[in-house]
Amino acid sequence: MPRLFTALEIPRDAALSLSLLRGGLPGARWIDVENYHITLRFIGDVEGHVADEIANALDRIRRPEFTLKLSGVSAFGSKKPHSIFACVSPSPDIQALQAEIERICQRLMLPADPRKFTPHVTLARLRNVRNEEVAHYLSSRGNFATTPFKIGRFVLMSSRDSVGGGPYIVEEAWPLEAPRSSFQNSLERPFEAARTIR
């Protein structure tokens, strides 16, 4: 079975901005631009029937679409950095969506993810890179930021065992709900609208 995880995709413009961060760090293995994503919940290797149960449960999520912004770069592994990532600006919407997915995973008795949820986009994996080089790379790119972009869906992705992550395949996708206009609301509540006119 492939490894499964839920994620948000990175739109093309933001991915192009991220691609400009590639390079300038010897020993880094850069993630391919088409594999950029924000992991919401790592699920792991599961049997086919469990994957179906997960997909059926995720199908019941109803959340509004929202905007995100990437701002700043950082590294995981304080003593021995092992990856470079772009930070996601604080967002209650992404936290709420992730928390709902987490509750679904717990109800399905999936193993807990021991890591605290830190929304990010992995840019590179590091091996045998000196701390000073990582510090220099991060400080020279500290002012990185994308323009805000819309998140209109979340996906269930799979990955095969490979070096450096990817290729990732979207197995299923669930749209987030577009904000309803006041016009739509009035159409659905004609009696209330009529009462206010009188």
Side-chain angles (χ1 to χ4, degrees):
M1 263 308 287
R3 284 203 179 110
L4 294 179
F5 58 97
T6 57
L8 300 177
E9 299 155 296
I10 302 298
R12 193 164 177 274
D13 287 354
L16 287 173
S17 298
L18 287 169
S19 71
L20 301 176
L21 297 170
R22 292 161 64 94
L25 187 56
R29 277 200 324 267
W30 299 97
I31 303 292
D32 291 336
V33 175
E34 61 271 19
N35 287 323
Y36 290 153
H37 65 275
I38 299 167
T39 299
L40 293 171
R41 173 55 150 89
F42 180 74
I43 294 167
D45 305 310
V46 293
E47 297 296 327
H49 70 279
V50 178
D52 289 340
E53 277 183 53
I54 293 165
N56 289 337
L58 293 175
D59 200 35
R60 291 194 283 275
I61 290 179
R62 298 285 177 271
R63 292 212 160 262
E65 58 187 33
F66 55 92
T67 57
L68 281 183
K69 181 181 174 186
L70 304 177
S71 180
V73 287
S74 190
F76 284 126
S78 51
K79 291 196 176 73
K80 191 170 187 287
H82 55 77
S83 57
I84 297 280
F85 64 90
C87 309
V88 176
S89 295
S91 160
D93 294 297
I94 193 174
Q95 296 289 345
L97 176 59
Q98 194 276 338
E100 186 164 353
I101 293 170
E102 182 60 44
R103 285 192 294 275
I104 285 169
C105 290
Q106 287 177 6
R107 274 204 302 274
L108 295 173
M109 311 295 282
L110 295 170
D113 189 339
R115 293 162 298 189
K116 178 180 178 289
F117 177 57
T118 306
H120 66 279
V121 180
T122 302
L123 301 173
R125 313 259 181 222
L126 308 178
R127 270 178 72 186
N128 304 322
V129 179
R130 290 179 24 239
N131 287 11
E132 310 83 72
E133 291 174 324
V134 174
H136 178 263
Y137 172 88
L138 295 177
S139 65
S140 64
R141 288 158 181 80
N143 61 355
F144 167 78
T146 63
T147 53
F149 52 89
K150 189 178 85 172
I151 299 293
R153 69 181 197 169
F154 69 98
V155 298
L156 184 65
M157 280 186 166
S158 65
S159 68
R160 308 284 165 180
D161 262 338
S162 66
V163 175
Y168 301 118
I169 297 157
V170 173
E171 299 290 346
E172 290 218 35
W174 293 273
L176 298 171
E177 296 174 343
R180 292 145 61 92
S181 69
S182 53
F183 177 69
Q184 279 175 306
N185 289 341
S186 68
L187 285 179
E188 290 179 16
R189 298 202 306 266
F191 299 115
E192 285 180 44
R195 272 206 301 277
T196 53
I197 290 167
R198 268 185 267 144

